[in-house]
Amino acid sequence: MVEIKTDAALDAMREAGRVVARALAAVREAAGVGVSLRELDEAARTVLAEAGAGSPFLGYRPSFAPAAFPAVICTSVNDAVSHGIPTGYRLRDGDLVSIDCGARLDGWTGDAAITFTVGTPRPGDLDLIDATRQALDAGIAAARVGSRIGDISHAVGTVARRAGCGMPADFGGHGIGRRMHEDPHVPNRGRPGRGFPLRHGLVLAIEPMLMAGGKDTYRTDADGWTLRTTDGSRAAHIEHTVAITDQGPRILTLP
Ligand code: MG
Ligand code: MG
């Protein structure tokens, strides 16, 4: 069931989104060569705690997962696409890092992700990040009253394909509100003019995941969570929580 939010709920979600943005900024600031993924998780935990916010990630256990998620951020490095668990791994020069973070404040949820490089970027990584950001921007631009979910999917997928990138077929964006994952699903590819109609008060997490090798296949690590490219190519994941409004798309996870 799709829940349409009141304007008061959108304002409350904006506050949750601000906390997510602060946590991601703190992680970005803390990241560097030699810093462990667990230390990045600690940086995000500190921001959530100071804001009085909870984590929709910590303890999350969807049907596909063998165990509850143990952290407040996902850390996906190099050929990891998404859902990476923060471990003791220490970042190395040239690593490509995607961080996904959520926050729950006053019962409302925000969800966003960033991708960045550590030290000297490897060839192609900045282009991959750029393409992923453009795919997200195109998806947000399509998130307008009177359009449909398929218009967002088509916009995201078109940019990704033009960049020669693959996208994991089963993962995409989602409705969001009191819960992190609500209806409708927002695929990262699709046909324009199809799917659920966009209305004022619908809130969506839009999140392109691009794989540089161009294939859509992925595999899951033995931990049951981490998604990786099958060809070893690198991946990027960027996400915002976006409200559809009569005034146009409102990004709720900006700083
Ligand atoms: Mg996310
Ligand atoms: Mg999400």
Side-chain angles (χ1 to χ4, degrees), residues 193-238:
R194 301 294 182 96
F196 191 83
L198 307 183
R199 291 167 48 188
H200 180 92
L202 179 65
V203 185
L204 303 172
I206 303 175
E207 49 180 311
M209 301 167 192
L210 271 57
M211 303 189 285
K215 292 186 186 141
D216 291 339
T217 51
Y218 62 89
R219 62 187 172 83
T220 308
D221 275 5
D223 64 20
W225 279 99
T226 313
L227 308 182
R228 276 183 206 282
T229 62
T230 51
D231 58 7
S233 69
R234 292 154 88 89
H237 174 210
I238 310 182

Side-chain angles (χ1 to χ4, degrees), residues 57 100-101 111-113 174 207 237 239:
F57 287 28
D100 196 345
C101 182
D111 183 14
H174 48 91
E207 49 180 311
H237 174 210
E239 175 181 26

